[in-house]
């Protein structure tokens, strides 16, 4: 009748056993070594009630805490890089508060990328205007072209009648015409360059670019509101993965403790630390042990559980359980054999039809090489009462689950997975997750896979499930209902602000285009007029003689 109290619940036993039979080797005792050749433990039971509290008296409890304090950090559970055991649901009450605020209030003080772009755009238009105003000063001006026009008129009015003066007159017309032609070419090239600059400006102000900026602004504003939208993976993690990952992390913590008691690969010639003897000034000298018995060895143990056929399925008791454990020792390199265990059984109350837990721990050499397998068929969950809805907002109230878990340890590295197949699930939804109540109605069969990797000091857990695909579309619908037009109103408000600023930018662009194009067009028109009139004066002396009816000298 050995009872070990659960330290978290003093009125319950963590484990209880009936009869324990031990065959203890006598000779090793003379060398302070405990070698159990054979042990039988019957009527094992877990989580049993106590008649009296198993809590330690205050004085002993203080001593226990004082002794355990230095080892607290060492025994702390390993931290996972992906903390599935800490996944949680967002509080959608914040959405209701945000919905009561106006879009203008939400956008007050927010710097929109689209507004910043349009402000910079207006500055660019202003800089472009200044640049072209300077360039126009280097081009033929209206005044210079008018001067050329006046010069042309003056030449026309003084057109010579004497044929002998005509070549000099024509030369002056030609010089004037070439000068104006060069002016026209310079103005035409400037016009093309200006149009290229305008095309670049208008391209950056295109509807597609502005809409893209609006979308970025909307995403930034929604993100700033800190509305945490859960993913389908989050929901599965809260529903199933959180509890499993905690159990995995706890198992890894116990494994770390067991590793400390079973060091791997400690050679027979390793030097032993001298043991201090408080009552003497000298020390005990321990010579390296290369053969013989370990300090502790359990060669073989046979285990069996107390049969309980009446307990409810949600209580962890056994209908049957039996198995063997061989080679458990604190010095595996001396014993020369791995630890092997194989336990089979079934849970009481229809809790599970079959349970299998087996494994091998080989710590004879370094690094250690361990393998564990846990398989439970048809775990029947039938909860009459769910847990606290604040701490467990989503729970499986009823389901048939099959679990297969495999884990390999090679030194510090871990590799393995836990696979759950969930049939006929019914989900209990607490108040904190009330928004997802319809999401889990009529949930069909699904599987959950938790992959384990990393190292013992820094394990990593990742979750995947077929349920995520089922939840994804429903989750989007719920989020849309919860936000109920908030995103649309903010989008409209951003568009109103941006469109007004864009109209201003368009106005500045049109003003620039009209101004510079008008100046260039006016000068080109004037140059064209001069060239047209100059062409009418460009006649040869022969044509003049023919026109006057004078005889030609040849």
């Amino acid at each position: 009748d050995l009872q070990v109290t659960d330290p978290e619940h003093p009125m319950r036993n963590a484990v209880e056993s009936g009869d324990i039979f031990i065959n203890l080797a006598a000779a090793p005792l003379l060398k302070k070594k405990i070698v159990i050749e054979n042990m039988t433990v019957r009527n094992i039971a877990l989580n049993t009630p106590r008649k009296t509290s198993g809590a330690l008296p205050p004085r002993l409890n203080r001593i226990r805490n004082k002794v355990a304090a230095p080892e607290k950090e060492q025994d702390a559970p390993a931290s996972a890089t992906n903390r599935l055991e800490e996944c949680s649901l967002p509080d959608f009450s914040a959405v209701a508060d945000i919905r009561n605020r106006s879009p203008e209030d939400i956008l007050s003080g927010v710097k929109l990328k689209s507004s910043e772009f349009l402000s910079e755009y207006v500055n660019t238009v202003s800089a472009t205007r200044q640049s072209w105003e300077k360039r126009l000063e280097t081009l033929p001006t209206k005044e210079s072209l008018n001067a050329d026009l006046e010069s042309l008129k003056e030449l026309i009015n003084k057109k010579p009648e004497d044929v002998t003066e005509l070549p000099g007159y024509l030369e002056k017309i030609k010089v004037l015409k070439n000068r104006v032609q060069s002016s026209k070419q310079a103005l035409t090239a400037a016009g093309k360059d200006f149009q290229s600059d305008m095309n670049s400006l208008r391209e950056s102000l295109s509807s597609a670019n502005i809409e893209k900026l609006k979308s970025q602004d909307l995403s930034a504003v929604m993100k700033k509101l800190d509305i945490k939208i859960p993913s389908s993976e989050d929901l599965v993690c809260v529903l199933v993965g959180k509890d499993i990952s905690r159990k995995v992390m706890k198992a890894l913590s116990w494994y770390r403790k067991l590793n400390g008691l079973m060091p791997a690969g400690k050679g027979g010639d390793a030097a032993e630390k001298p043991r201090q003897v408080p009552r003497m000034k000298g020390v005990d000298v321990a010579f390296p042990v290369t053969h013989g018995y370990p300090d502790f060895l359990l060669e073989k143990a046979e285990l069996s559980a107390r049969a309980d056929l009446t307990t409810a399925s949600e209580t962890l008791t056994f209908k049957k359980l039996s198995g063997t454990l061989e080679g458990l020792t604190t010095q595996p390199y001396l014993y020369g054999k791995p630890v092997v265990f194989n336990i089979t059984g079934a849970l009481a109350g229809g809790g599970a039809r079959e349970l299998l837990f087996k494994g091998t721990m080989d710590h004879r050499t370094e690094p250690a090489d361990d393998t564990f397998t846990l398989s439970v068929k048809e775990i029947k969950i039938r909860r009459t009462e769910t847990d606290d809805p604040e701490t467990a907002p989503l729970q499986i109230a009823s389901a048939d689950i099959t679990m297969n878990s495999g884990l390999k340890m090679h030194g510090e590295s871990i590799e393995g997975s836990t696979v759950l197949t969930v049939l006929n699930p019914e989900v209990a939804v607490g108040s904190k997750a009330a928004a997802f109540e319809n999401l889990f109605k009529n949930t069909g069969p699904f599987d959950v896979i938790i992959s384990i990797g990393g190292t013992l000091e820094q394990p990593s857990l990742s979750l995947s499930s077929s349920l995520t695909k089922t939840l994804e579309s429903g989750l989007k619908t719920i989020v849309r209902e919860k936000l109920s037009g908030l995103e649309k109103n903010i989008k409209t408000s951003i568009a109103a602000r941006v469109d007004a600023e864009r109209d201003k930018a368009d106005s500045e662009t049109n003003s620039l285009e009209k101004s510079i194009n008008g100046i260039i067009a006016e000068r080109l028109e004037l140059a064209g007029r001069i060239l047209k009139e100059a062409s009418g004066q460009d006649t040869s002396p022969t044509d003049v003689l023919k026109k006057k009816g004078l005889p030609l000298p040849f």
Side-chain angles (χ1 to χ4, degrees):
D1 193 22
L2 175 66
Q3 299 182 16
V4 180
T5 305
D6 183 345
E8 303 297 328
H9 305 91
M11 290 302 295
R12 301 195 71 83
N13 293 315
V15 62
E16 180 181 352
S17 68
D19 299 326
I20 301 176
F21 299 90
I22 296 176
N23 289 335
L24 194 64
L29 285 174
L30 300 177
K31 297 181 179 181
K32 300 180 181 180
K33 299 178 184 295
I34 299 175
V35 176
I36 300 173
E37 296 175 336
N38 222 310
M39 181 171 72
T40 303
V41 183
R42 297 175 181 170
N43 297 330
I44 297 173
L46 305 178
N47 193 26
T48 58
R50 294 179 58 91
K51 294 181 179 179
T52 59
S53 173
L56 292 174
R59 184 178 66 85
L60 292 178
N61 199 36
R62 285 195 299 270
I63 294 173
R64 185 195 71 168
N65 292 338
K66 186 176 180 181
V67 171
E71 300 178 359
K72 185 176 181 181
E73 184 175 350
Q74 178 183 351
D75 294 340
S79 60
T81 54
N82 298 330
R83 302 289 288 187
L84 294 182
E85 72 273 24
E86 293 180 358
C87 59
S88 60
L89 296 178
D91 183 6
F92 273 105
S93 62
V95 177
D97 297 335
I98 293 171
R99 285 166 57 187
N100 294 329
R101 296 169 58 189
S102 66
E104 292 74 17
D105 179 37
I106 294 173
L107 290 175
S108 62
V110 177
K111 290 184 178 180
L112 301 179
K113 285 187 175 181
S114 49
S115 294
E116 291 179 357
F117 165 77
L118 290 171
S119 177
E120 291 176 2
Y121 178 87
V122 171
N123 293 335
T124 302
V125 171
S126 178
T128 303
R129 181 188 294 275
Q130 293 176 8
S131 174
W132 273 100
E133 286 174 350
K134 289 182 179 179
R135 182 170 176 181
L136 286 175
E137 293 175 359
T138 66
L139 295 172
T141 63
K142 181 179 178 182
E143 289 75 13
S144 67
L145 290 170
N146 277 325
D148 288 336
L149 180 60
E150 291 299 324
S151 297
L152 177 61
K153 288 180 179 179
E154 187 178 346
L155 287 171
I156 293 173
N157 292 333
K158 295 180 180 181
K159 188 173 184 179
E161 295 294 333
D162 189 350
V163 176
T164 58
E165 296 178 358
L166 194 57
Y169 171 79
L170 293 176
E171 182 63 29
K172 291 179 180 179
I173 293 291
K174 181 179 179 182
V175 171
L176 177 63
K177 186 177 178 181
N178 288 340
R179 183 169 66 248
V180 175
Q181 186 68 41
S182 297
S183 297
K184 184 180 179 181
Q185 290 175 353
L187 290 168
T188 302
K192 290 182 179 179
D193 291 344
F194 178 71
Q195 197 56 50
S196 176
D197 288 350
M198 292 306 301
N199 290 340
S200 297
L201 285 173
R202 292 199 179 280
E203 184 179 353
S204 65
L205 199 63
S206 66
S207 298
N209 192 30
I210 297 301
E211 290 302 320
K212 182 179 179 181
L213 290 171
K214 287 180 183 178
S215 298
Q216 292 175 355
D217 285 334
L218 180 61
S219 299
V221 172
M222 296 301 291
K223 185 176 181 181
K224 190 175 180 180
L225 293 177
D226 198 28
I227 302 175
K228 296 180 179 178
I229 307 301
S231 65
S232 50
E233 288 81 2
D234 293 331
L235 296 179
V236 177
C237 180
V238 173
L239 179 63
V240 182
K242 189 172 183 177
D243 188 46
I244 296 175
S245 61
R246 282 177 176 169
K247 287 180 170 58
V248 170
M249 297 305 294
K250 189 172 183 180
L252 291 177
S253 178
W254 279 104
Y255 178 80
R256 291 173 65 201
K257 293 180 180 180
L258 188 60
N259 269 350
L261 300 175
M262 299 174 56
K266 185 178 179 182
D269 56 349
E272 298 283 343
K273 291 183 178 180
R275 293 176 293 175
Q276 299 291 338
V277 181
R279 295 173 296 176
M280 300 174 61
K281 292 183 180 181
V283 296
D284 288 345
V285 178
F287 293 95
V289 178
T290 57
H291 60 279
Y293 289 106
D295 292 341
F296 172 82
L297 171 62
L298 174 58
E299 288 190 288
K300 185 174 181 179
E302 296 181 357
L303 314 173
S304 61
R306 178 193 304 167
D308 190 335
L309 306 179
T310 60
T311 307
S313 59
E314 62 265 21
T315 304
L316 184 61
T317 53
F318 300 103
K319 176 181 178 181
K320 60 179 180 178
L321 183 75
S322 62
T324 59
L325 170 65
E326 299 179 13
L328 183 64
T329 176
T330 56
Q331 294 163 299
Y333 69 93
L334 279 179
Y335 184 55
K337 297 179 183 179
V339 180
V340 179
F341 61 90
N342 193 336
I343 299 172
T344 59
L347 295 182
R353 182 167 59 86
E354 182 179 329
L355 181 149
L356 171 64
F357 184 40
K358 63 181 181 178
T360 301
M361 300 179 64
D362 192 349
H363 288 215
R364 292 173 293 177
T365 58
E366 194 174 1
D369 198 0
D370 302 338
T371 303
F372 303 96
T373 300
L374 173 63
S375 176
V376 186
K377 294 183 179 179
E378 297 181 14
I379 307 171
K380 294 187 180 297
I381 297 177
R382 304 288 186 270
R383 295 183 180 177
T384 55
E385 293 184 5
T386 57
D387 296 335
D388 182 5
E390 292 300 319
T391 58
L394 291 174
Q395 303 173 69
I396 295 181
S398 174
D400 298 323
I401 301 176
T402 295
M403 179 177 74
N404 289 289
S405 182
L407 199 60
K408 292 183 179 181
M409 313 283 194
H410 186 71
E412 286 291 311
S413 64
I414 309 172
E415 183 181 0
S417 64
T418 296
V419 181
L420 297 181
T421 302
V422 184
L423 302 176
N424 308 316
E426 291 184 10
V427 180
V429 181
S431 58
K432 189 175 180 180
F436 309 108
E437 186 170 3
N438 292 332
L439 191 62
F440 287 97
K441 283 184 178 179
N442 303 319
T443 303
F446 63 93
D447 59 48
V448 177
I449 302 174
I450 293 183
S451 300
I452 309 165
T455 65
L456 278 175
E457 291 298 325
Q458 194 63 47
S460 64
L461 306 178
S462 60
L463 179 145
S464 62
S465 173
S466 61
L467 185 59
T468 57
K469 296 180 181 178
T470 306
L471 297 178
E472 190 170 356
S473 59
L475 186 60
K476 289 179 180 178
T477 302
I478 289 173
V479 172
R480 282 197 298 266
E481 291 175 353
K482 282 293 176 183
L483 295 180
S484 74
L486 173 65
E487 187 171 345
K488 182 180 179 181
N489 292 338
I490 293 176
K491 183 178 180 179
T492 302
S493 185
I494 289 174
R497 180 190 296 189
V498 173
D499 289 345
E501 294 174 353
R502 185 187 180 185
D503 290 342
K504 180 181 177 182
D506 268 328
S507 177
E508 292 288 334
T509 306
N510 292 335
S511 173
L512 170 63
E513 187 172 28
K514 184 178 179 180
S515 173
I516 303 300
N517 272 341
I519 293 172
I520 294 176
E522 185 181 25
R523 296 180 187 183
L524 280 172
E525 183 182 2
L526 187 55
R529 178 183 167 188
I530 295 171
L531 292 173
K532 183 177 180 181
E533 292 189 15
S535 296
Q537 304 300 319
D538 193 8
T539 57
S540 67
T542 303
D543 294 333
V544 174
L545 291 173
K546 286 181 178 180
K547 185 176 182 182
K548 289 182 175 291
L550 297 176
L552 296 175
F554 47 82

